[in-house]
Amino acid sequence: MAHHTTAFSFVAPEILPMPINIVCKPVSAETKKPKGKQGHAKPIPIDKLALLKPGRLRPGHLMHLYGISHSTLYKRREAGLIPKPDLTEHHRPIWFTSTIAPFFGVK
């Protein structure tokens, strides 16, 4: 059996050096985007007279009106002592003032 050898010649095209700029910025506390505070809602002061006007109430408003904590608000909501929210925006419950006003004797 005869072996054939074939010679290949490959001429690479001339490669011109191109400047490449790589910019690396160190990651520090100043360059990181600060996250918003996560956790339980905080009481938001609201006057009971505000229940006379059309508006929206968030959990913090109800916490202030009832004088309760976040966990108590949700426990009472599950027990049916606080009405279900009228709507939810961005996974946050919202009550209309007209829904909550009767619980405080405001008509």
Side-chain angles (χ1 to χ4, degrees):
M1 196 182 237
H3 292 285
H4 297 287
T5 50
T6 309
F8 291 101
S9 63
F10 178 74
V11 178
E14 195 173 308
I15 299 175
L16 300 174
M18 295 177 57
I20 298 174
N21 294 330
I22 299 174
V23 179
C24 296
K25 292 182 181 179
V27 177
S28 67
E30 296 165 3
T31 57
K32 285 185 179 178
K33 196 173 188 180
K35 279 189 172 181
K37 286 188 176 182
Q38 296 178 348
H40 295 297
K42 307 291 184 253
I44 302 170
I46 185 170
D47 187 18
K48 287 182 185 176
L49 293 176
L51 297 175
L52 294 170
K53 301 175 187 175
R56 296 176 172 202
L57 301 171
R58 298 187 322 207
H61 294 117
L62 270 64
M63 290 167 56
H64 178 78
L65 288 169
Y66 283 105
I68 57 177
S69 69
H70 178 268
S71 57
T72 303
L73 173 74
Y74 284 91
K75 285 177 186 174
R76 289 186 183 179
R77 203 173 114 190
E78 287 176 11
L81 300 173
I82 294 177
K84 291 185 177 183
D86 294 303
L87 59 101
T88 303
E89 285 184 349
H90 307 288
H91 305 288
R92 295 182 182 132
I94 295 183
W95 293 264
F96 296 128
T97 52
S98 59
T99 304
I100 299 300
F103 289 85
F104 292 94
V106 178
K107 295 181 180 182

